Amino acid sequence: MNMNKVNPNPSFKSLIRVSNLAYAKSIQQNKLMPCVDYPWRISDSKYLTKGYSEGASYCTMGVIKNEEGEGFLFHLRPGASKLKDIKDYIAKAARQLQRQEPLTGILVGGNKSYKPSKDLYQSLIDIFEELNIKFSALLGQKNIITYNQNVPSCNLYFDGKSDKYAIYSNIFEDKRYEDKPLEEIFDIIQINKRDAVESRPDLP
């Protein structure tokens, strides 16, 4: 499957906002919501309807959810969890969340130039497809050299009831990249047909 092409299969009706301002606003308005934090293992994942995770450079973050807005948020560091454990946790979450409609989700992060990172997000793609989770993906951050010399990384906010995601990218902090298309930031872009994507770093 060519992950750089739009998947023609209909999926969920999520709004995916790739915007530093939209992410910051979401976090500020929901200060008490759960966070999936270090050490970024599959066992640190959380069932929730609203939450966030930050600092995915070599890590991959993801969400699976049902039509009622109930979700499972994970943030995985390469090598921190065995692949079998990752598969078992995600399969269990899929069984618990399954209702009438197919599960949907998103995968975000990873670094295209670091093999353990690429292997991890490719494995997650395979798991989602095996479990018939209809998903969008922004994966394989490119090693862009910014003014601050930071490794490319992103944050993810999820609101299941509103069916919204907000994604922050530290690349947008460099003014030279604030208007660049997503294809210049991520190696793999898969957006499901019924998803809406808005990409602008100053989006309110």
Side-chain angles (χ1 to χ4, degrees):
M1 179 179 182
N2 186 344
M3 297 299 292
N4 289 309
K5 293 183 178 180
V6 174
N7 188 335
N9 297 324
S11 179
F12 57 119
K13 299 179 181 178
S14 297
L15 173 61
I16 302 169
R17 309 181 93 185
V18 186
S19 162
N20 288 5
L21 187 56
Y23 177 83
K25 184 176 180 181
S26 299
I27 296 299
Q28 185 177 25
Q29 292 175 342
N30 299 278
K31 294 180 180 179
L32 300 179
M33 66 182 164
C35 173
V36 175
D37 208 347
Y38 184 84
W40 302 315
R41 300 165 304 199
I42 190 62
S43 57
D44 300 311
S45 305
K46 294 181 179 179
Y47 290 90
L48 39 70
T49 56
K50 184 182 293 186
Y52 71 104
S53 192
E54 299 189 330
S57 53
Y58 301 105
C59 300
T60 299
M61 302 177 291
V63 173
I64 61 174
K65 69 173 186 64
N66 60 29
E67 66 267 31
E68 297 174 3
E70 300 166 331
F72 178 75
L73 171 64
F74 57 85
H75 182 146
L76 302 176
R77 179 166 47 96
S81 302
K82 295 179 180 178
L83 182 57
K84 181 182 183 304
D85 293 336
I86 294 172
K87 289 181 178 179
D88 289 346
Y89 267 83
I90 293 178
K92 179 181 178 182
R95 290 193 299 271
Q96 292 191 10
L97 292 172
Q98 187 66 64
R99 301 293 185 267
Q100 297 297 318
E101 299 296 324
L103 296 174
T104 60
I106 195 168
L107 291 170
V108 179
N111 186 294
K112 70 162 291 190
S113 299
Y114 182 55
K115 188 176 185 304
S117 178
K118 190 171 183 177
D119 290 345
L120 175 60
Y121 64 71
Q122 290 290 349
S123 295
L124 288 166
I125 289 169
D126 293 342
I127 292 169
F128 272 40
E129 290 181 343
E130 182 179 339
L131 295 172
N132 195 32
I133 298 168
K134 308 300 183 183
F135 67 100
S136 288
L138 298 170
L139 293 166
Q141 296 167 100
K142 299 180 181 181
N143 285 333
I144 295 171
I145 303 301
T146 62
Y147 288 134
N148 56 24
Q149 301 293 306
N150 287 335
V151 174
S153 68
C154 52
N155 306 339
L156 174 65
Y157 163 80
F158 161 67
D159 184 341
K161 296 296 184 183
S162 298
D163 213 351
K164 292 180 180 178
Y165 298 101
I167 298 169
Y168 157 97
S169 171
N170 68 346
I171 292 173
F172 286 147
E173 294 176 358
D174 188 325
K175 296 299 182 183
R176 295 174 300 171
Y177 295 100
E178 63 181 1
D179 295 321
K180 295 292 186 182
L182 293 178
E183 288 79 5
E184 293 193 24
I185 298 173
F186 296 96
D187 183 50
I188 293 175
I189 299 176
Q190 174 181 313
I191 306 301
N192 276 287
K193 186 176 180 179
R194 291 170 64 189
D195 287 356
V197 178
E198 297 177 346
S199 175
R200 200 172 74 238
D202 60 348
L203 187 71

